Amino acid sequence: MARQVGVSAITVSRALRSPEKVSAALRERIRLAVAELGYIPDAAARALASGRTDVIGVLIPSVTNNVFADVLSGIYAGIEDAPFDVQLGNTRYSGLQEESLLRVFLSQKPAGLIVTGIDQSEEARALLSTAQCPIVQIMETDDRPIDMMIGFSHYAAAGAATAHLVERGYRKLGFLGARMDPRTQRRFRGFRDTAEAAGVFSKTRVITTPAPSTVTLGSRLFADLVERAPDIDGVFCNNDDLALGVLFEAQRRRISIPAELGLCGFNDLEMMATAEPSVTSVRTFRHEMGQRAVVMLIEAIQADLARSPQVVDLGYEVKARGSTAR
Amino acid sequence: MARQVGVSAITVSRALRSPEKVSAALRERIRLAVAELGYIPDAAARALASGRTDVIGVLIPSVTNNVFADVLSGIYAGIEDAPFDVQLGNTRYSGLQEESLLRVFLSQKPAGLIVTGIDQSEEARALLSTAQCPIVQIMETDDRPIDMMIGFSHYAAAGAATAHLVERGYRKLGFLGARMDPRTQRRFRGFRDTAEAAGVFSKTRVITTPAPSTVTLGSRLFADLVERAPDIDGVFCNNDDLALGVLFEAQRRRISIPAELGLCGFNDLEMMATAEPSVTSVRTFRHEMGQRAVVMLIEAIQADLARSPQVVDLGYEVKARGSTAR
DNA sequence: TTGTAGGCGTTATCAG
DNA sequence: CTGATAACGCCTACAA
């Protein structure tokens, strides 16, 4: 340690953390020594001695998914220059992984935690409830928050998209779904209930798979759908990757969008507005969600509120575009 | 701590880390107590006492970029059940951010480090060289590895793509580039040198911008390019997002691909093969890169090799598809 | 198989 | 403004 340098000990600690409490002379000598020795304080010792860390743990189910990439960039934007480090955990849509990561995170006594969704296992909820830090659940809303919560209703959003297709006169609606995690299932229910209410639902026009979403998969599912239900005139996709696959497959089959087929995606990825034709989608506020989640978290941390229930509904927006313009 | 429970102390530590060294009876009692108290060992204390951690730090320049998402999923695959946690840092293409994150990571005395690229600042290289752990640089290859390195030559890959366009008879080649970080610039040089050698290079057909790549930006850049050089008959894009934007814009302008325009992207995202027409791209082995990077790292960690220079070149592959099929 | 002693590098607390 | 002392909770080494 830099104690050799001058004739100090804890002063180094002070010089580093609150320079104003140390005389200019010492401060300078210490600064030089630190630079020379390449001294970097030991995070573990600091955490142990102070009993706190500046880690914000973030648990998301996928790193390959654009949706979470946007949330993440919002989180980084929200952190800005706040003195916190985000530590990312990838649960890979697995409850077991989530529990295991939770244990890892909790062992670090994080300053705060951001977790995805409302479908934690009992075990995970138990772990979370023992956490000595504020927690934000993101991506969804419901009335059973562990602590804070920010998101939107996937059920309502999917319902609105479906209503839009109906309103545009599409009657033989199909649903394409991949991955089928709990969020996706809520979207499906939103579709089904709205379609049923409008009298346009048919089980034969629903195709789902547990496989992860890709554009290629969208093309394949749509090909299946067309064979199974040739009279289909509208498709609501679980997400935009699938929708893009449908767009390409429809082009290949010379099925005209929007004249013969209405197409609606979900998430409103950037590319949907640029596609030809542009694709209707449900816009969600992912960046804002990530950003506000950290901001809420940091406020709770700084206010020393270990638990301060609150639910923020960010809503959604059906962006009507060329693919449903008839 | 759980010492109250039985009549033990360090035995708890052993029961948790190497259960076989503790009698079945005690092990069981401890297991119960742990479950009941929700006891989770303190990571900081453990790190401080043992002088080591099982953290693998990963520094990438972007979380919103599919390219790094794939690398990451490879990393997670490579970690599998190995007893390491990955900690992610997002440098956001900033050298300063990278240095700062490096300091944070090094303060945790990580077991290993994965960093992106070969363009670290002097300061960053200095920090890295003081690290007491193995390091893997990913995404590129060169002859100046800090420790281990796995990637490919962006220069050569872009050259090969360009050669492919030339071979297919395209002569008025253009280049579209966004972000223009060092890797992108090497790709540009690969394009330029190859195009010049073939006598088909023209500066007026090159458009670049520091803005980040999006599909929409691809459409815009292509629109500019067509106005500036109406005789253009081939485009090499910096990446697939731009290429997809070109595809859509060409459709809007009724420019036929591949008859009137040859199009080649870079990265070979999954969607390129499904697009209509399918889009030629340069495939890179991102998942494998991430996976092998951790595997190399873990081997070095376990062999206790603090430094074991080696460079792995994963190569690339020009995937010729419909968009250059004439 | 279990326990004891000592210390990891930092910070809180209280003196000087 | 600076320093001494005592933890923080766990692990290594050695002993019983």
Side-chain angles (χ1 to χ4, degrees):
Chain A
M1 48 220 75
R3 284 81 208 261
Q4 319 303 67
V5 194
V7 270
S8 19
I10 184 189
T11 311
V12 174
S13 170
R14 279 200 272 257
L16 261 34
R17 290 180 306 152
S18 17
E20 75 283 2
K21 298 182 133 190
V22 169
S23 69
L26 264 187
R27 204 188 310 152
E28 183 57 11
R29 271 166 60 198
I30 291 173
R31 205 186 53 70
L32 284 174
V34 163
E36 191 153 353
L37 302 180
Y39 168 78
I40 297 178
D42 183 317
R46 168 172 290 177
L48 184 58
S50 68
R52 28 168 265 87
T53 67
D54 41 18
V55 169
I56 290 182
V58 178
L59 282 183
I60 56 175
S62 166
V63 287
T64 338
N65 188 321
N66 285 312
V67 167
F68 296 106
D70 290 339
V71 173
L72 275 181
S73 71
I75 287 177
Y76 284 114
I79 292 255
E80 256 187 1
D81 307 298
F84 293 97
D85 297 318
V86 354
Q87 169 143 13
L88 251 191
N90 179 182
T91 67
R92 282 174 275 174
Y93 291 99
S94 146
L96 283 178
Q97 269 294 321
E98 180 165 34
E99 287 166 27
S100 151
L101 281 168
L102 230 29
R103 255 181 273 273
V104 173
F105 278 21
L106 290 176
S107 78
Q108 331 229 41
K109 307 216 190 308
L113 236 30
I114 295 179
V115 300
T116 301
I118 56 180
D119 301 288
Q120 287 77 16
S121 64
E122 272 314 306
E123 176 73 6
R125 276 189 87 95
L127 282 168
L128 248 11
S129 64
T130 71
Q132 295 303 306
C133 66
I135 295 169
V136 184
Q137 287 167 284
I138 59 171
M139 290 307 287
E140 303 202 54
T141 51
D142 80 352
D143 49 6
R144 241 179 109 230
I146 296 175
D147 183 3
M148 294 174 284
M149 186 177 263
I150 182 166
F152 64 96
S153 163
H154 292 246
Y155 177 89
T162 310
H164 171 257
L165 283 165
V166 171
E167 186 205 309
R168 290 296 165 94
Y170 299 105
R171 285 293 175 271
K172 307 288 191 178
L173 298 190
F175 178 91
L176 258 31
R179 171 126 276 152
M180 297 316 283
D181 60 286
R183 262 176 300 292
T184 303
Q185 290 177 31
R186 278 187 274 278
R187 299 213 270 261
F188 170 66
R189 285 202 288 277
F191 166 80
R192 189 197 54 200
D193 291 357
T194 303
E196 266 177 355
V200 301
F201 180 79
S202 162
K203 238 167 140 176
T204 54
R205 293 193 299 264
V206 172
I207 300 189
T208 64
T209 156
S213 297
T214 63
V215 178
T216 305
L217 183 62
S219 284
R220 292 215 190 107
L221 294 181
F222 181 61
D224 286 358
L225 188 56
V226 168
E227 312 232 316
R228 194 197 284 191
D231 62 339
I232 191 147
D233 73 352
V235 186
F236 174 52
C237 296
N238 177 31
N239 64 42
D240 286 342
D241 294 290
L242 295 183
L244 196 56
V246 171
L247 178 71
F248 288 136
E249 186 63 24
Q251 287 179 197
R252 269 187 284 276
R253 291 169 179 258
R254 304 277 182 275
I255 297 174
S256 146
I257 294 177
E260 301 169 64
L261 184 80
L263 175 63
C264 180
F266 197 99
N267 283 329
D268 197 26
L269 297 187
E270 170 265 330
M271 65 177 82
M272 304 320 269
T274 299
E276 174 57 26
S278 58
V279 179
T280 297
S281 192
V282 180
R283 181 172 172 215
T284 60
F285 305 92
R286 301 182 292 282
H287 187 90
E288 187 184 356
M289 190 159 61
Q291 181 155 11
R292 291 188 54 182
V294 248
V295 169
M296 286 161 68
L297 198 59
I298 291 177
E299 277 170 5
I301 292 168
Q302 289 173 342
D304 207 21
L305 271 37
R307 210 108 309 181
S308 44
Q310 98 178 257
V311 176
V312 179
D313 189 337
L314 249 27
Y316 52 84
E317 198 179 317
V318 176
K319 303 290 279 189
R321 298 211 179 86
S323 70
T324 54
R326 87 165 180 197
Chain B
M1 47 216 72
R3 282 83 211 259
Q4 317 304 65
V5 194
V7 271
S8 19
I10 186 191
T11 311
V12 173
S13 169
R14 280 200 272 256
L16 262 32
R17 290 181 305 152
S18 16
E20 75 283 2
K21 297 181 135 191
V22 169
S23 71
L26 264 188
R27 203 188 310 153
E28 182 57 13
R29 272 165 61 198
I30 290 172
R31 205 185 54 71
L32 285 174
V34 164
E36 191 154 352
L37 302 181
Y39 169 78
I40 296 178
D42 184 320
R46 170 172 290 176
L48 183 57
S50 68
R52 30 168 264 88
T53 67
D54 41 18
V55 170
I56 290 182
V58 178
L59 283 183
I60 56 175
S62 165
V63 288
T64 338
N65 188 321
N66 285 312
V67 168
F68 296 107
D70 290 339
V71 174
L72 274 182
S73 71
I75 288 177
Y76 284 114
I79 292 255
E80 258 187 0
D81 307 299
F84 294 97
D85 296 318
V86 354
Q87 169 142 11
L88 252 191
N90 179 183
T91 66
R92 282 174 275 174
Y93 292 99
S94 147
L96 282 179
Q97 269 294 320
E98 180 165 33
E99 288 166 26
S100 151
L101 281 168
L102 231 29
R103 254 179 274 273
V104 172
F105 278 23
L106 290 176
S107 78
Q108 330 229 40
K109 306 213 188 309
L113 236 30
I114 295 179
V115 301
T116 300
I118 55 178
D119 302 288
Q120 286 78 16
S121 65
E122 272 314 307
E123 174 74 6
R125 276 189 87 95
L127 281 168
L128 247 12
S129 64
T130 70
Q132 295 304 306
C133 66
I135 296 170
V136 184
Q137 288 168 284
I138 58 171
M139 290 307 288
E140 303 202 53
T141 49
D142 79 353
D143 50 5
R144 238 180 112 231
I146 296 176
D147 183 4
M148 292 173 285
M149 185 177 263
I150 182 166
F152 64 96
S153 163
H154 292 247
Y155 177 88
T162 309
H164 171 257
L165 283 165
V166 170
E167 185 204 313
R168 289 298 166 94
Y170 299 104
R171 286 291 174 273
K172 308 288 191 179
L173 297 189
F175 178 92
L176 257 32
R179 173 127 271 150
M180 297 315 283
D181 58 285
R183 263 176 300 293
T184 303
Q185 290 177 30
R186 278 187 274 276
R187 299 213 270 261
F188 170 65
R189 286 202 289 276
F191 167 80
R192 188 196 54 201
D193 291 356
T194 302
E196 266 178 354
V200 301
F201 180 79
S202 163
K203 237 167 142 178
T204 53
R205 293 193 298 264
V206 173
I207 300 189
T208 64
T209 156
S213 297
T214 63
V215 178
T216 305
L217 183 61
S219 285
R220 293 215 190 105
L221 293 181
F222 181 62
D224 284 359
L225 187 56
V226 167
E227 312 231 317
R228 193 197 285 189
D231 62 341
I232 190 148
D233 72 353
V235 185
F236 174 53
C237 297
N238 177 26
N239 64 42
D240 286 342
D241 293 292
L242 295 183
L244 196 57
V246 171
L247 178 71
F248 288 136
E249 187 62 24
Q251 288 179 197
R252 269 187 284 277
R253 292 170 178 256
R254 305 277 183 276
I255 297 175
S256 148
I257 294 177
E260 301 170 63
L261 184 80
L263 175 63
C264 180
F266 197 99
N267 283 329
D268 196 27
L269 297 187
E270 171 264 329
M271 63 177 84
M272 304 320 269
T274 299
E276 174 56 27
S278 57
V279 179
T280 296
S281 192
V282 180
R283 181 170 172 215
T284 59
F285 304 92
R286 302 182 291 283
H287 187 90
E288 187 184 356
M289 190 159 61
Q291 181 155 13
R292 290 187 54 182
V294 248
V295 170
M296 285 161 69
L297 198 59
I298 290 177
E299 277 170 5
I301 292 168
Q302 289 173 342
D304 209 19
L305 271 38
R307 210 108 308 183
S308 44
Q310 99 179 255
V311 177
V312 179
D313 188 339
L314 249 27
Y316 52 84
E317 198 179 319
V318 177
K319 303 289 279 189
R321 300 211 179 86
S323 71
T324 54
R326 90 165 178 194

PDB file of all heavy atoms in Angstrom, chain A residues 13 39 42 46 49, chain C residues 9-13:
ATOM      1  N   SER A  13      -6.892   6.769   2.463  1.00  0.00           N
ATOM      2  CA  SER A  13      -8.311   6.501   2.262  1.00  0.00           C
ATOM      3  C   SER A  13      -9.087   7.811   2.153  1.00  0.00           C
ATOM      4  O   SER A  13      -9.885   8.002   1.239  1.00  0.00           O
ATOM      5  CB  SER A  13      -8.825   5.660   3.427  1.00  0.00           C
ATOM      6  OG  SER A  13     -10.224   5.575   3.398  1.00  0.00           O
ATOM      7  N   TYR A  39      -1.673   2.268  -7.792  1.00  0.00           N
ATOM      8  CA  TYR A  39      -2.484   1.772  -6.676  1.00  0.00           C
ATOM      9  C   TYR A  39      -3.977   1.842  -6.986  1.00  0.00           C
ATOM     10  O   TYR A  39      -4.494   2.846  -7.444  1.00  0.00           O
ATOM     11  CB  TYR A  39      -2.183   2.588  -5.421  1.00  0.00           C
ATOM     12  CG  TYR A  39      -3.151   2.351  -4.296  1.00  0.00           C
ATOM     13  CD1 TYR A  39      -3.043   1.210  -3.507  1.00  0.00           C
ATOM     14  CD2 TYR A  39      -4.162   3.266  -4.036  1.00  0.00           C
ATOM     15  CE1 TYR A  39      -3.934   0.992  -2.465  1.00  0.00           C
ATOM     16  CE2 TYR A  39      -5.058   3.056  -2.994  1.00  0.00           C
ATOM     17  CZ  TYR A  39      -4.941   1.922  -2.222  1.00  0.00           C
ATOM     18  OH  TYR A  39      -5.816   1.706  -1.201  1.00  0.00           O
ATOM     19  N   ASP A  42      -8.766  -1.850  -2.864  1.00  0.00           N
ATOM     20  CA  ASP A  42      -9.381  -3.162  -2.935  1.00  0.00           C
ATOM     21  C   ASP A  42     -10.875  -3.062  -2.639  1.00  0.00           C
ATOM     22  O   ASP A  42     -11.290  -2.673  -1.552  1.00  0.00           O
ATOM     23  CB  ASP A  42      -8.693  -4.078  -1.929  1.00  0.00           C
ATOM     24  CG  ASP A  42      -9.241  -5.499  -1.995  1.00  0.00           C
ATOM     25  OD1 ASP A  42     -10.467  -5.661  -2.098  1.00  0.00           O
ATOM     26  OD2 ASP A  42      -8.442  -6.426  -1.928  1.00  0.00           O
ATOM     27  N   ARG A  46     -12.978  -2.696   0.999  1.00  0.00           N
ATOM     28  CA  ARG A  46     -13.838  -1.529   1.161  1.00  0.00           C
ATOM     29  C   ARG A  46     -15.266  -1.958   1.502  1.00  0.00           C
ATOM     30  O   ARG A  46     -15.885  -1.437   2.439  1.00  0.00           O
ATOM     31  CB  ARG A  46     -13.817  -0.706  -0.130  1.00  0.00           C
ATOM     32  CG  ARG A  46     -14.870   0.356  -0.186  1.00  0.00           C
ATOM     33  CD  ARG A  46     -14.679   1.250  -1.378  1.00  0.00           C
ATOM     34  NE  ARG A  46     -13.484   2.086  -1.224  1.00  0.00           N
ATOM     35  CZ  ARG A  46     -13.057   2.924  -2.144  1.00  0.00           C
ATOM     36  NH1 ARG A  46     -13.695   3.018  -3.290  1.00  0.00           N
ATOM     37  NH2 ARG A  46     -11.999   3.670  -1.922  1.00  0.00           N
ATOM     38  N   ALA A  49     -15.421  -3.437   5.059  1.00  0.00           N
ATOM     39  CA  ALA A  49     -15.270  -2.450   6.128  1.00  0.00           C
ATOM     40  C   ALA A  49     -16.452  -1.497   6.200  1.00  0.00           C
ATOM     41  O   ALA A  49     -16.899  -1.127   7.285  1.00  0.00           O
ATOM     42  CB  ALA A  49     -13.972  -1.675   5.932  1.00  0.00           C
TER      43      ALA A  49
ATOM     44  P    DG C   9      -3.590  -7.230   1.944  1.00  0.00           P
ATOM     45  OP1  DG C   9      -2.990  -7.428   0.617  1.00  0.00           O
ATOM     46  OP2  DG C   9      -2.734  -7.011   3.123  1.00  0.00           O
ATOM     47  O5'  DG C   9      -4.601  -5.999   1.858  1.00  0.00           O
ATOM     48  C5'  DG C   9      -5.586  -6.010   0.835  1.00  0.00           C
ATOM     49  C4'  DG C   9      -6.596  -4.915   1.111  1.00  0.00           C
ATOM     50  O4'  DG C   9      -7.269  -5.193   2.363  1.00  0.00           O
ATOM     51  C3'  DG C   9      -5.992  -3.522   1.259  1.00  0.00           C
ATOM     52  O3'  DG C   9      -6.846  -2.625   0.576  1.00  0.00           O
ATOM     53  C2'  DG C   9      -5.994  -3.285   2.771  1.00  0.00           C
ATOM     54  C1'  DG C   9      -7.224  -4.062   3.193  1.00  0.00           C
ATOM     55  N9   DG C   9      -7.199  -4.566   4.563  1.00  0.00           N
ATOM     56  C8   DG C   9      -6.103  -4.976   5.286  1.00  0.00           C
ATOM     57  N7   DG C   9      -6.403  -5.403   6.487  1.00  0.00           N
ATOM     58  C5   DG C   9      -7.778  -5.281   6.556  1.00  0.00           C
ATOM     59  C6   DG C   9      -8.664  -5.585   7.615  1.00  0.00           C
ATOM     60  O6   DG C   9      -8.403  -6.050   8.730  1.00  0.00           O
ATOM     61  N1   DG C   9      -9.993  -5.303   7.278  1.00  0.00           N
ATOM     62  C2   DG C   9     -10.400  -4.793   6.061  1.00  0.00           C
ATOM     63  N2   DG C   9     -11.687  -4.589   5.908  1.00  0.00           N
ATOM     64  N3   DG C   9      -9.562  -4.492   5.068  1.00  0.00           N
ATOM     65  C4   DG C   9      -8.283  -4.762   5.387  1.00  0.00           C
ATOM     66  P    DT C  10      -6.545  -1.111   0.491  1.00  0.00           P
ATOM     67  OP1  DT C  10      -6.742  -0.722  -0.911  1.00  0.00           O
ATOM     68  OP2  DT C  10      -5.286  -0.782   1.180  1.00  0.00           O
ATOM     69  O5'  DT C  10      -7.743  -0.532   1.349  1.00  0.00           O
ATOM     70  C5'  DT C  10      -9.064  -0.712   0.857  1.00  0.00           C
ATOM     71  C4'  DT C  10     -10.059  -0.582   1.974  1.00  0.00           C
ATOM     72  O4'  DT C  10      -9.629  -1.359   3.104  1.00  0.00           O
ATOM     73  C3'  DT C  10     -10.225   0.823   2.526  1.00  0.00           C
ATOM     74  O3'  DT C  10     -11.382   1.389   1.892  1.00  0.00           O
ATOM     75  C2'  DT C  10     -10.459   0.638   4.016  1.00  0.00           C
ATOM     76  C1'  DT C  10     -10.287  -0.863   4.244  1.00  0.00           C
ATOM     77  N1   DT C  10      -9.441  -1.199   5.424  1.00  0.00           N
ATOM     78  C2   DT C  10     -10.064  -1.503   6.606  1.00  0.00           C
ATOM     79  O2   DT C  10     -11.272  -1.473   6.758  1.00  0.00           O
ATOM     80  N3   DT C  10      -9.217  -1.817   7.640  1.00  0.00           N
ATOM     81  C4   DT C  10      -7.834  -1.862   7.584  1.00  0.00           C
ATOM     82  O4   DT C  10      -7.181  -2.168   8.579  1.00  0.00           O
ATOM     83  C5   DT C  10      -7.251  -1.533   6.320  1.00  0.00           C
ATOM     84  C7   DT C  10      -5.757  -1.550   6.154  1.00  0.00           C
ATOM     85  C6   DT C  10      -8.074  -1.216   5.298  1.00  0.00           C
ATOM     86  P    DT C  11     -11.721   2.900   2.233  1.00  0.00           P
ATOM     87  OP1  DT C  11     -12.613   3.325   1.160  1.00  0.00           O
ATOM     88  OP2  DT C  11     -10.486   3.644   2.535  1.00  0.00           O
ATOM     89  O5'  DT C  11     -12.562   2.789   3.592  1.00  0.00           O
ATOM     90  C5'  DT C  11     -13.821   2.142   3.575  1.00  0.00           C
ATOM     91  C4'  DT C  11     -14.380   2.110   4.983  1.00  0.00           C
ATOM     92  O4'  DT C  11     -13.427   1.472   5.862  1.00  0.00           O
ATOM     93  C3'  DT C  11     -14.664   3.484   5.597  1.00  0.00           C
ATOM     94  O3'  DT C  11     -15.900   3.385   6.285  1.00  0.00           O
ATOM     95  C2'  DT C  11     -13.504   3.690   6.561  1.00  0.00           C
ATOM     96  C1'  DT C  11     -13.256   2.266   7.018  1.00  0.00           C
ATOM     97  N1   DT C  11     -11.892   1.964   7.545  1.00  0.00           N
ATOM     98  C2   DT C  11     -11.772   1.325   8.757  1.00  0.00           C
ATOM     99  O2   DT C  11     -12.739   1.007   9.433  1.00  0.00           O
ATOM    100  N3   DT C  11     -10.475   1.067   9.152  1.00  0.00           N
ATOM    101  C4   DT C  11      -9.323   1.373   8.465  1.00  0.00           C
ATOM    102  O4   DT C  11      -8.226   1.083   8.920  1.00  0.00           O
ATOM    103  C5   DT C  11      -9.525   2.037   7.203  1.00  0.00           C
ATOM    104  C7   DT C  11      -8.342   2.421   6.385  1.00  0.00           C
ATOM    105  C6   DT C  11     -10.778   2.312   6.796  1.00  0.00           C
ATOM    106  P    DA C  12     -16.687   4.700   6.657  1.00  0.00           P
ATOM    107  OP1  DA C  12     -17.856   4.732   5.779  1.00  0.00           O
ATOM    108  OP2  DA C  12     -15.746   5.844   6.675  1.00  0.00           O
ATOM    109  O5'  DA C  12     -17.186   4.458   8.165  1.00  0.00           O
ATOM    110  C5'  DA C  12     -17.081   3.197   8.745  1.00  0.00           C
ATOM    111  C4'  DA C  12     -17.441   3.248  10.222  1.00  0.00           C
ATOM    112  O4'  DA C  12     -16.231   2.934  10.961  1.00  0.00           O
ATOM    113  C3'  DA C  12     -17.917   4.562  10.827  1.00  0.00           C
ATOM    114  O3'  DA C  12     -18.790   4.280  11.919  1.00  0.00           O
ATOM    115  C2'  DA C  12     -16.626   5.250  11.275  1.00  0.00           C
ATOM    116  C1'  DA C  12     -15.726   4.070  11.628  1.00  0.00           C
ATOM    117  N9   DA C  12     -14.337   4.243  11.172  1.00  0.00           N
ATOM    118  C8   DA C  12     -13.913   4.812  10.003  1.00  0.00           C
ATOM    119  N7   DA C  12     -12.612   4.798   9.835  1.00  0.00           N
ATOM    120  C5   DA C  12     -12.144   4.176  10.985  1.00  0.00           C
ATOM    121  C6   DA C  12     -10.850   3.849  11.423  1.00  0.00           C
ATOM    122  N6   DA C  12      -9.741   4.113  10.721  1.00  0.00           N
ATOM    123  N1   DA C  12     -10.718   3.229  12.617  1.00  0.00           N
ATOM    124  C2   DA C  12     -11.831   2.951  13.311  1.00  0.00           C
ATOM    125  N3   DA C  12     -13.116   3.198  13.006  1.00  0.00           N
ATOM    126  C4   DA C  12     -13.198   3.825  11.818  1.00  0.00           C
ATOM    127  P    DT C  13     -19.363   5.434  12.861  1.00  0.00           P
ATOM    128  OP1  DT C  13     -20.624   4.882  13.398  1.00  0.00           O
ATOM    129  OP2  DT C  13     -19.353   6.712  12.113  1.00  0.00           O
ATOM    130  O5'  DT C  13     -18.294   5.535  14.041  1.00  0.00           O
ATOM    131  C5'  DT C  13     -17.875   4.352  14.717  1.00  0.00           C
ATOM    132  C4'  DT C  13     -16.863   4.740  15.797  1.00  0.00           C
ATOM    133  O4'  DT C  13     -15.528   4.789  15.222  1.00  0.00           O
ATOM    134  C3'  DT C  13     -17.122   6.116  16.419  1.00  0.00           C
ATOM    135  O3'  DT C  13     -17.072   5.990  17.830  1.00  0.00           O
ATOM    136  C2'  DT C  13     -15.975   6.980  15.885  1.00  0.00           C
ATOM    137  C1'  DT C  13     -14.871   5.942  15.699  1.00  0.00           C
ATOM    138  N1   DT C  13     -13.837   6.292  14.699  1.00  0.00           N
ATOM    139  C2   DT C  13     -12.516   5.965  14.959  1.00  0.00           C
ATOM    140  O2   DT C  13     -12.160   5.404  15.977  1.00  0.00           O
ATOM    141  N3   DT C  13     -11.630   6.321  13.971  1.00  0.00           N
ATOM    142  C4   DT C  13     -11.923   6.965  12.783  1.00  0.00           C
ATOM    143  O4   DT C  13     -11.050   7.229  11.979  1.00  0.00           O
ATOM    144  C5   DT C  13     -13.317   7.281  12.584  1.00  0.00           C
ATOM    145  C7   DT C  13     -13.747   7.987  11.334  1.00  0.00           C
ATOM    146  C6   DT C  13     -14.209   6.937  13.539  1.00  0.00           C
TER     147       DT C  13
END
